[in-house]
Amino acid sequence: MAPRRKLTGAQAELFAAVCHHYINEAETDCNDTPENVPIFSHLSRAQRLKLVADVAIGMLCEDEPLPPDTVQHNSTFRAIIQILFTALEVEVDTQDESGDVGEDLLNYDEADRSCNPRTAQEIEDLKVKNALIEHRAEKNLKKLKKGKDVGEFHVEEKETPHGLEDMLSVANQLSRIFQGGAVSKRERDSIRPLNDDEKYAFDWRILCDAALQQDTPINSTFRDAFPLCNVNFDWRCSKCDKWYMALNLLLDTKLMDYGSATDKALIIGEVSYRSYADPSQLPRVKALERNINLLMKVYASSWDPKLLAIDERRIYAICSNELYGGHYHRKWIVGFHEVCVARGINFQEPGKNYQARLDIFRDTKDDLIDGCEYPFGCYKDEDIERVHRSWTPMEEGPKEL
């Protein structure tokens, strides 16, 4: 299975912003490999950028098919959601450092920071427990390297909850984001205009809030009792758990179908030393290793270093609303922008013209191919051999995930 529909409006603008954001995250090796999406995160940087470009086109461009129904594309869709979560977390953690931001905004809704510190005995007990888990993990890892048969990976399907008790359980979980009712239009309209520092400090949350407000009872397709325009917070909220719950409902539960329980378990879930310590997790670990190795081998055989940045350019062409780029990509950026202007496309207007911009990219990419062997943000006089060494995809994944 795959995403159920295209994204439009504010939801498309948010998704495009995350995909565009990923260019820089991948180039700088910063928050670009979400731990709980192991297939995506163990692929090479170049392959991950290609997949992000594929998924962006499938979700945003109206004349293109939805993203392919493959484990790598479905993993990429989930990874994009996780990358958004990380961007939100960074924004909340650094909002106090964003210059001239009013106290009325920073103190609107203080994050929950209360916790009970562990006692000395609890810390010691935890160390012993972790040491035992690591010992078991090392023993199982040695067995796996010797070729131990751990069986096929399979997860039993669970019945979809239908009863009153199930619905009450769901409602209780969702009370965190719905209890007390939606922020009123009057309150939203009373928020004062923001200065540039404040717009920057709340940038991701403003985008996310607009996407949630688009999920009205008319547009809501999953359990219409829970349209996300009725969440009990707005872009001023600094409680990440509320954002995670609401955005997961919007972009995952309502939008995505991962197929079977086995397919979903391959896509979502961290692999750590605890996974190796648990014999029941070993079939999943081996299945992940097989999938990752196959995907890496196929991609590495077709990778062309002369087109190193082609997928970064694809993402930029469809998703960016800024004019910028590294030294070796200026000619392409200027040429792409000139064609956009000639065709009446406002490149810097967010949330629109995804298909038209993709068409322009396709029409011009071969004539403006110069500089594509360098990463998109590459500075002048970078050592191209060093660059290619760090970008060349491997044909095999790590010996342990």
Side-chain angles (χ1 to χ4, degrees):
M1 307 303 288
R4 297 183 175 97
R5 63 174 176 85
K6 298 279 186 177
L7 292 171
T8 60
Q11 294 172 10
E13 184 179 347
L14 172 63
F15 198 83
V18 184
C19 294
H20 177 223
H21 171 71
Y22 191 72
I23 294 176
N24 182 68
E25 301 298 87
E27 284 203 4
T28 58
D29 296 319
C30 177
N31 299 325
D32 60 328
T33 53
E35 291 181 348
N36 63 347
V37 194
I39 289 179
F40 176 84
S41 295
H42 282 87
L43 300 178
S44 68
R45 171 167 41 192
Q47 190 168 8
R48 284 183 272 117
L49 283 162
K50 179 186 184 302
L51 287 166
V52 169
D54 288 347
V55 171
I57 290 169
M59 295 305 299
L60 301 172
C61 300
E62 61 268 22
D63 295 339
E64 307 299 317
L66 285 165
D69 180 19
T70 67
V71 68
Q72 63 267 34
H73 289 91
N74 292 339
S75 293
T76 302
F77 185 90
R78 182 64 210 184
I80 290 169
I81 297 173
Q82 295 298 139
I83 290 156
L84 171 59
F85 289 170
T86 301
L88 279 167
E89 188 173 333
V90 170
E91 182 176 275
V92 169
D93 287 346
T94 59
Q95 65 183 14
D96 294 341
E97 305 167 11
S98 299
D100 184 17
V101 179
E103 290 293 325
D104 59 323
L105 300 179
L106 295 177
N107 297 330
Y108 167 74
D109 155 325
E110 290 195 4
D112 297 325
R113 295 173 184 162
S114 60
C115 63
N116 296 317
R118 291 190 175 100
T119 65
Q121 183 60 50
E122 287 172 334
I123 292 173
E124 185 60 31
D125 291 345
L126 184 62
K127 288 180 180 178
V128 172
K129 181 180 178 180
N130 286 338
L132 179 60
I133 291 172
E134 288 183 14
H135 175 68
R136 289 174 179 165
E138 288 173 2
K139 287 181 65 177
N140 286 336
L141 185 58
K142 289 178 182 177
K143 292 177 182 178
L144 288 178
K145 288 180 177 179
K146 291 179 180 179
K148 178 185 177 182
D149 182 10
V150 294
E152 291 298 314
F153 176 59
H154 177 72
V155 178
E156 293 294 330
E157 301 292 332
K158 294 182 179 179
E159 290 187 14
T160 304
H162 291 296
L164 176 61
E165 186 176 335
D166 293 322
M167 291 299 290
L168 288 173
S169 175
V170 171
N172 183 59
Q173 294 173 34
L174 296 181
S175 65
R176 173 74 172 144
I177 60 173
F178 288 109
Q179 192 170 43
V183 179
S184 68
K185 183 177 184 302
R186 175 180 294 182
E187 182 175 352
R188 285 179 175 274
D189 290 345
S190 69
I191 300 172
R192 61 174 175 77
L194 305 183
N195 62 43
D196 289 343
D197 284 344
E198 290 168 340
K199 289 176 182 176
Y200 176 79
F202 290 87
D203 182 43
W204 283 112
R205 282 167 286 178
I206 290 171
L207 287 170
C208 291
D209 183 47
L212 294 175
Q213 289 304 299
Q214 186 181 331
D215 189 59
T216 63
I218 295 174
N219 295 320
S220 184
T221 57
F222 171 80
R223 293 180 181 173
D224 287 345
F226 305 121
L228 292 163
C229 62
N230 291 331
V231 293
N232 59 12
F233 60 96
D234 62 24
W235 56 265
R236 295 168 291 178
C237 178
S238 58
K239 295 182 178 178
C240 288
D241 64 319
K242 285 190 170 187
W243 287 111
Y244 297 164
M245 183 179 291
L247 290 166
N248 199 62
L249 278 170
L250 178 71
L251 297 174
D252 191 294
T253 308
K254 293 190 176 195
L255 188 60
M256 188 65 183
D257 186 344
Y258 292 103
S260 69
T262 302
D263 290 339
K264 186 172 183 178
L266 276 177
I267 290 167
I268 304 174
E270 181 182 359
V271 176
S272 66
Y273 65 90
R274 292 178 182 274
S275 305
Y276 285 95
D278 181 357
S280 70
Q281 289 293 310
L282 297 181
R284 176 175 182 260
V285 171
K286 291 300 292 183
L288 285 168
E289 289 177 353
R290 287 194 297 270
N291 275 275
I292 291 166
N293 285 333
L294 177 61
L295 290 169
M296 293 181 74
K297 184 176 183 179
V298 171
Y299 180 76
S301 66
S302 63
W303 186 70
D304 184 352
K306 294 179 181 178
L307 299 176
L308 179 149
I310 196 69
D311 293 307
E312 292 181 290
R313 287 185 177 185
R314 275 204 299 164
I315 297 169
Y316 177 93
I318 300 157
C319 300
S320 178
N321 59 0
E322 306 172 53
L323 281 173
Y324 76 95
H327 173 80
Y328 298 97
H329 296 271
R330 290 176 185 172
K331 181 180 177 182
W332 174 77
I333 292 166
V334 171
F336 176 77
H337 183 249
E338 286 176 349
V339 179
C340 285
V341 171
R343 296 189 188 180
I345 303 300
N346 185 348
F347 177 79
Q348 293 176 281
E349 183 179 9
K352 294 183 179 180
N353 303 312
Y354 302 113
Q355 184 67 53
R357 289 166 57 166
L358 174 61
D359 293 341
I360 293 171
F361 170 78
R362 288 170 172 167
D363 291 344
T364 60
K365 66 181 179 69
D366 293 335
D367 293 334
L368 299 169
I369 203 66
D370 290 356
C372 209
E373 68 272 26
Y374 289 91
F376 195 73
C378 199
Y379 295 107
K380 185 179 180 181
D381 298 329
E382 288 267 8
D383 183 347
I384 190 64
E385 291 185 3
R386 182 193 63 78
V387 168
H388 282 185
R389 280 197 301 272
S390 69
W391 276 74
T392 299
M394 299 175 63
E395 293 189 7
E396 188 177 17
K399 297 300 181 186
E400 57 185 276
L401 300 183

